[in-house]
Amino acid sequence: MRTCPHLDNGNCKVAMILTKGIPAPITSQSCGICMSLERPMTLNIMTCQLAYAVTRDPEIKAAFSKEQTRAINRPGTCLRNILHKLNLSEKKECKCDEYAAIMDTWGTEGCRSRIPEIVDHLNSQTVTWLDMAKVVMGGYFTTEALVLEAIRQSEQGTKHHEG
């Protein structure tokens, strides 16, 4: 296992917070998965799954579907990942990570209701003709198409992990 500050005698401390202290044994495989995620060593799909597996309390189990949704329902992160895959680099004056975090707190439904606001924000950023060409070559002909794809990916991730 890689060194993780949340590893305590073979248990995941993040998962134990979610289980209200119930030990959550971790394997090298689950620790490796957690470390490979975009947000390692924090509330993420792996730590939620570890906690869910060890708790017997029905109230805690019911809360996990909400926690798992919150951990993976991240349209801002999806949008940032799309832009990264299109090889668009963040400009110094851009606050992309901050705006992605705001979008993540809104979730898919909040972003869906704010599509015009998100599109306006993205359109207000400084872009070059090369940036625009990369976006179009990626199959996105409007800024709204980018936002809708991020929302779709976030929703798919949530449905995939909830089942």
Side-chain angles (χ1 to χ4, degrees), residues 35 64-65 99 109 114 131 133 136-137 140 142 149 151 163:
M35 294 295 241
F64 277 114
S65 64
Y99 202 78
E109 288 306 311
R114 292 176 175 91
D131 293 336
V136 170
M137 288 174 25
Y140 305 101
T142 66
E149 177 61 13
I151 291 170

Side-chain angles (χ1 to χ4, degrees), residues 97-109:
D97 285 341
E98 290 174 27
Y99 202 78
I102 291 168
M103 289 176 63
D104 287 345
T105 63
W106 291 337
T108 54
E109 288 306 311

Side-chain angles (χ1 to χ4, degrees), residues 6 19-20 46-47 57 69 85 97 99 108 127 141 153:
H6 302 293
T19 63
K20 300 181 181 174
M46 189 73 250
T47 55
D57 185 327
T69 298
K85 286 177 185 173
D97 285 341
Y99 202 78
T108 54
V127 293
F141 299 106
Q153 286 182 14

Side-chain angles (χ1 to χ4, degrees), residues 94-142:
C94 177
K95 303 287 187 208
C96 295
D97 285 341
E98 290 174 27
Y99 202 78
I102 291 168
M103 289 176 63
D104 287 345
T105 63
W106 291 337
T108 54
E109 288 306 311
C111 286
R112 190 173 298 288
S113 69
R114 292 176 175 91
I115 290 173
E117 176 184 339
I118 297 166
V119 168
D120 286 347
H121 172 77
L122 293 173
N123 287 340
S124 73
Q125 302 304 303
T126 304
V127 293
T128 66
W129 67 267
L130 183 57
D131 293 336
M132 291 170 51
K134 289 177 184 178
V135 171
V136 170
M137 288 174 25
Y140 305 101
F141 299 106
T142 66

Side-chain angles (χ1 to χ4, degrees), residues 25-156:
I26 190 164
T27 64
S28 58
Q29 181 182 8
S30 55
C31 191
I33 291 168
C34 181
M35 294 295 241
S36 72
L37 295 173
E38 185 176 328
R39 292 181 353 173
M41 301 178 291
T42 187
L43 174 67
N44 60 42
I45 191 64
M46 189 73 250
T47 55
C48 286
Q49 286 177 346
L50 286 170
Y52 187 85
V54 299
T55 188
R56 301 285 182 255
D57 185 327
E59 288 182 24
I60 294 175
K61 279 195 179 271
F64 277 114
S65 64
K66 292 177 186 172
E67 289 296 327
Q68 285 181 307
T69 298
R70 190 167 70 83
I72 59 177
N73 179 359
R74 300 173 356 114
T77 299
C78 290
L79 178 61
R80 191 179 66 224
N81 290 343
I82 292 168
L83 295 174
H84 180 69
K85 286 177 185 173
L86 294 173
N87 202 25
L88 296 173
S89 57
E90 186 175 331
K91 311 285 189 278
K92 288 181 182 178
E93 64 277 0
C94 177
K95 303 287 187 208
C96 295
D97 285 341
E98 290 174 27
Y99 202 78
I102 291 168
M103 289 176 63
D104 287 345
T105 63
W106 291 337
T108 54
E109 288 306 311
C111 286
R112 190 173 298 288
S113 69
R114 292 176 175 91
I115 290 173
E117 176 184 339
I118 297 166
V119 168
D120 286 347
H121 172 77
L122 293 173
N123 287 340
S124 73
Q125 302 304 303
T126 304
V127 293
T128 66
W129 67 267
L130 183 57
D131 293 336
M132 291 170 51
K134 289 177 184 178
V135 171
V136 170
M137 288 174 25
Y140 305 101
F141 299 106
T142 66
T143 308
E144 184 174 352
L146 279 168
V147 174
L148 289 172
E149 177 61 13
I151 291 170
R152 185 192 68 74
Q153 286 182 14
S154 180
E155 287 172 335
Q156 277 191 328

